[in-house]
């Protein structure tokens, strides 16, 4: 093998002939995508909390489902508007949370039973999920990055 310089060129960065400034410290950057950082933190907290073979989608789906149900509560909305976070936690939050956890079991079982027991529902649900999943995969391919979920 032989190494030989065939040509030399000067590469410039931008419109200025100003040299690059050196890195001055470690960890000086900030997260470019706060949503991604938030989801990563949420997944980490949920993983520490729940046991078993649960995917990120399982954890996020459950948390977002319960969050959505809690946000439907007019009582919680009023209490959140009138109180600090600490005072809000002492109100009806725990009771409404547990009611929705219990009701969620029944709702998911009822929906799963309809999908499994009714071919028309199974087909229609498959069509809905096909649209959602295909669209998400196409979006991931276009942006070049997989995301945990954009449905929230």
């Amino acid at each position: 093998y032989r190494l030989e310089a065939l040509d030399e060129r000067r590469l410039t960065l931008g419109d200025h002939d100003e040299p690059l400034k050196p890195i001055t410290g470690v960890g000086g950057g900030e997260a470019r995508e706060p949503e991604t950082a938030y989801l990563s933190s949420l997944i980490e907290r949920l993983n520490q909390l729940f046991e078993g073979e649960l995917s990120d989608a399982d954890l996020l789906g459950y948390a977002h489902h319960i969050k959505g149900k809690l946000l439907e509560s007019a009582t919680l909305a009023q209490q959140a508007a009138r109180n600090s976070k600490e005072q809000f936690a002492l109100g009806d939050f725990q009771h409404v949370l547990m009611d929705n956890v219990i009701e969620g079991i029944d709702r998911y079982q009822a929906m799963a039973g309809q999908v499994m027991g009714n071919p028309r529902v199974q087909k229609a649900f498959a069509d809905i999920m096909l649209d959602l999943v295909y669209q998400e995969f196409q979006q991931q391919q276009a942006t070049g990055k997989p995301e945990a979920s954009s449905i929230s």
Side-chain angles (χ1 to χ4, degrees):
Y1 292 102
R2 179 174 71 150
L3 205 54
E4 187 176 321
L6 299 176
D7 191 15
E8 280 189 34
R9 294 184 186 179
R10 181 173 180 188
L11 298 176
T12 58
L13 300 172
D15 296 332
H16 308 287
D17 284 336
E18 191 174 304
L20 293 175
K21 296 177 183 172
I23 297 174
T24 57
V26 177
E30 64 180 62
R32 293 181 186 244
E33 297 181 32
E35 175 92 11
T36 302
Y38 167 75
L39 288 175
S40 294
S41 172
L42 179 59
I43 289 168
E44 183 179 328
R45 290 172 61 197
L46 290 167
N47 270 321
Q48 291 172 358
L49 182 64
F50 291 106
E51 296 176 359
E53 293 188 29
L54 301 168
S55 69
D56 292 353
D58 293 331
L59 296 168
L60 287 174
Y62 187 67
H64 284 294
H65 168 78
I66 297 297
K67 175 184 121 181
K69 297 308 289 180
L70 294 173
L71 290 174
E72 292 176 0
S73 170
T75 301
L76 292 183
Q78 286 178 341
Q79 291 177 2
R82 296 179 182 159
N83 294 287
S84 68
K85 183 178 176 181
E86 292 77 18
Q87 292 168 324
F88 175 65
L90 297 173
D92 292 317
F93 179 79
Q94 189 69 31
H95 175 71
V96 175
L97 170 66
M98 294 312 296
D99 283 351
N100 279 286
V101 167
I102 293 166
E103 290 171 9
I105 295 168
D106 293 336
R107 288 185 190 113
Y108 275 119
Q109 283 181 340
M111 288 187 296
Q114 291 175 47
V115 169
M116 299 301 292
N118 184 328
R120 182 192 61 80
V121 173
Q122 188 176 67
K123 167 86 172 88
F125 186 67
D127 289 343
I128 292 168
M129 295 310 301
L130 175 67
D131 291 342
L132 291 172
V133 171
Y134 186 78
Q135 178 184 12
E136 182 70 21
F137 280 135
Q138 292 299 308
Q139 186 177 19
Q140 289 176 11
Q141 185 176 8
T143 60
K145 59 182 174 180
E147 297 183 16
S149 175
S150 65
I151 301 173
S152 50

